Amino acid sequence: MDIKDLQRENIKTLRPYSTARDEFKGQASVFLDANENSFGSPLPANYNRYPDPLQLDLKEAISKIKGVPIENTFLGNGSDEAIDLLFRAFCNPGKDNVIILPPTYGMYEVSANINDVEVRKVNLLPNFQLDLEKIAETIDANTKMIFICSPNNPTGNSLNRTDIETILANFKGLVVIDEAYINFAKQKTFIQELTEYVNLVVLQTFSKAWGLAALRLGMAFSSRPVIDILNKVKPPYNINQATQDLALAALENIQQVNEWIKITVAERERLSAELAKIPMVKKVYPSDANFILAEIANAVDVYNKLVDQGVIVRDRSKVTLCEGCLRITIGTASENDQLIDLLRKMNE
């Protein structure tokens, strides 16, 4: 497979914007090339200079943790930027289509609609696994991408690895595996398979386990041709300097992150067990993420009562295959205790 054959014709011939930092990469004492404010910033730290367009220092630090070379790494303003850029680089508006697998993360469909790309939906099976036969039937010559979320949002389960590998081996477009919740799962990341599949794109994020949702920093790992195309079409300075600096500092505290992951997983199991004891809770689905999907009697009413008490969960009761369900993020031990106590009182 040649990735260049998948990209839009206008992207093949696109000349990307050349920044001042692209044209000069050496050391100097006087920078008069980028029309910046030469006096500094009205802040304790100076942010008057444009950041590294390719975030090489941050990528090097990420590479040491993930084991992925810099040239196979893309950083975006959240994973959402990488998703949008994949549409813009590879999907012809009004012609191409992508496949999503409901129930799943909503931004795949939103980005497709923004970019005027047809969305073909193949629902997961009742056990929240892939319907390989239906997926194969849905693919045509204009299918450019398949989005797979694993662990899946909002169901929380990991998808069967062999099923994903079957798609990777047989589909002649991009297979985008969203691993936003991989840190909480026993399943191994697919970044280990990057050398095997040129059409594999793995999305990860700093918003979940790393606790940096406010920074808006997402990662995409793929083959060199895909990463080169993403770098070609991205905005020149898509990751600001403050985010780069704070992310670099956070990467030095991986032990703290690993401890939070252990606590979250333990609380996930405890909260699941406690919820299952409450009669109004019909089912607690197994989870490999930092949240639980639970089917609850009168889910909307329960949701509203929790809101009245200042406890906010996510109402997923109208989502395909999640009828009557609430999605509950794993909180601190005290937050989880408060939720359990409220649900018990509602059940009395």
Coordinates of all heavy atoms in Angstrom, one line a residue, residues 17 23 35 46 77 106 118 123 130 166 171 174 261 286 301 303 328:
Y17 N 3.0 26.2 4.4 CA 3.5 27.5 4.8 C 4.9 27.4 5.5 O 5.1 26.5 6.3 CB 2.5 28.1 5.9 CG 3.0 29.5 6.4 CD1 2.9 30.6 5.6 CD2 3.5 29.6 7.7 CE1 3.3 31.9 6.1 CE2 3.9 30.8 8.2 CZ 3.8 31.9 7.4 OH 4.2 33.1 7.9
E23 N 12.8 28.4 8.4 CA 13.8 28.9 7.5 C 15.2 29.0 8.2 O 16.2 29.0 7.6 CB 13.4 30.2 6.9 CG 12.2 30.0 5.9 CD 11.6 31.3 5.4 OE1 12.3 32.4 5.6 OE2 10.5 31.3 4.8
N35 N 8.7 39.1 13.2 CA 7.8 40.2 13.6 C 7.2 40.0 15.0 O 6.0 40.3 15.2 CB 6.7 40.4 12.5 CG 7.3 40.8 11.2 OD1 8.4 41.3 11.1 ND2 6.5 40.5 10.1
N46 N 8.6 34.6 29.6 CA 8.5 35.3 28.3 C 8.0 34.3 27.3 O 8.5 33.2 27.1 CB 9.9 35.8 27.8 CG 10.2 37.1 28.5 OD1 9.3 37.9 28.8 ND2 11.5 37.4 28.6
N77 N -3.4 19.8 18.9 CA -4.2 20.5 19.9 C -5.4 19.6 20.3 O -6.5 19.7 19.8 CB -4.7 21.8 19.2 CG -5.5 22.6 20.2 OD1 -5.5 22.4 21.4 ND2 -6.2 23.6 19.7
G106 N -18.0 10.7 19.8 CA -18.8 11.5 18.9 C -18.0 12.4 17.9 O -18.6 12.8 16.9
E118 N -19.0 11.5 3.9 CA -20.0 10.6 4.3 C -19.6 9.7 5.4 O -18.5 9.2 5.5 CB -20.4 9.7 3.1 CG -21.5 8.7 3.4 CD -21.7 7.7 2.3 OE1 -21.0 7.8 1.2 OE2 -22.4 6.7 2.5
N123 N -22.9 -0.6 13.6 CA -23.0 -0.8 15.0 C -22.2 -1.9 15.6 O -22.0 -3.0 14.9 CB -24.5 -1.0 15.4 CG -25.3 0.2 15.2 OD1 -24.8 1.3 15.0 ND2 -26.6 0.1 15.3
L130 N -16.6 -5.9 17.5 CA -16.7 -5.6 16.1 C -17.5 -6.6 15.3 O -17.4 -7.8 15.4 CB -15.3 -5.5 15.5 CG -14.4 -4.4 16.1 CD1 -13.0 -4.5 15.4 CD2 -14.9 -3.0 15.9
T166 N -7.4 -8.1 11.9 CA -8.0 -8.6 10.6 C -8.3 -7.4 9.7 O -8.1 -7.4 8.5 CB -9.3 -9.4 10.9 OG1 -9.0 -10.6 11.7 CG2 -10.0 -9.7 9.7
F171 N -7.9 -4.1 5.0 CA -8.5 -2.8 4.6 C -7.4 -2.0 3.9 O -6.3 -1.8 4.5 CB -9.1 -2.0 5.8 CG -9.6 -0.7 5.4 CD1 -10.6 -0.5 4.4 CD2 -9.2 0.4 6.1 CE1 -11.1 0.7 4.1 CE2 -9.7 1.7 5.8 CZ -10.6 1.8 4.8
L174 N -6.9 3.9 5.8 CA -6.3 4.1 7.1 C -7.2 3.5 8.2 O -8.4 3.7 8.2 CB -6.1 5.6 7.4 CG -5.2 6.4 6.5 CD1 -5.1 7.9 7.0 CD2 -3.8 5.8 6.5
I261 N -2.9 5.9 38.1 CA -3.6 4.9 37.3 C -3.9 3.7 38.2 O -5.0 3.1 38.1 CB -2.6 4.4 36.2 CG1 -2.4 5.6 35.2 CG2 -3.1 3.2 35.5 CD1 -1.4 5.3 34.1
P286 N -18.3 -4.4 32.2 CA -16.9 -4.4 32.5 C -16.2 -3.3 31.8 O -16.6 -2.9 30.7 CB -16.5 -5.8 31.9 CG -17.7 -6.6 31.8 CD -18.8 -5.6 31.5
D301 N -34.2 10.1 35.1 CA -34.6 10.7 36.4 C -33.5 10.6 37.4 O -33.3 11.6 38.2 CB -35.8 9.8 36.9 CG -36.4 10.4 38.2 OD1 -36.6 11.6 38.3 OD2 -36.5 9.6 39.2
Y303 N -30.3 10.6 36.7 CA -29.3 11.7 36.3 C -29.7 13.0 36.9 O -28.9 13.8 37.4 CB -29.2 11.7 34.8 CG -28.4 12.9 34.2 CD1 -27.0 12.8 34.2 CD2 -29.1 14.0 33.8 CE1 -26.3 13.9 33.7 CE2 -28.4 15.1 33.3 CZ -27.0 15.0 33.3 OH -26.3 16.1 32.8
I328 N -20.2 6.8 34.1 CA -19.7 7.4 35.4 C -18.2 7.4 35.4 O -17.6 6.3 35.4 CB -20.3 6.6 36.6 CG1 -21.8 6.5 36.5 CG2 -19.7 7.2 37.9 CD1 -22.4 5.5 37.5

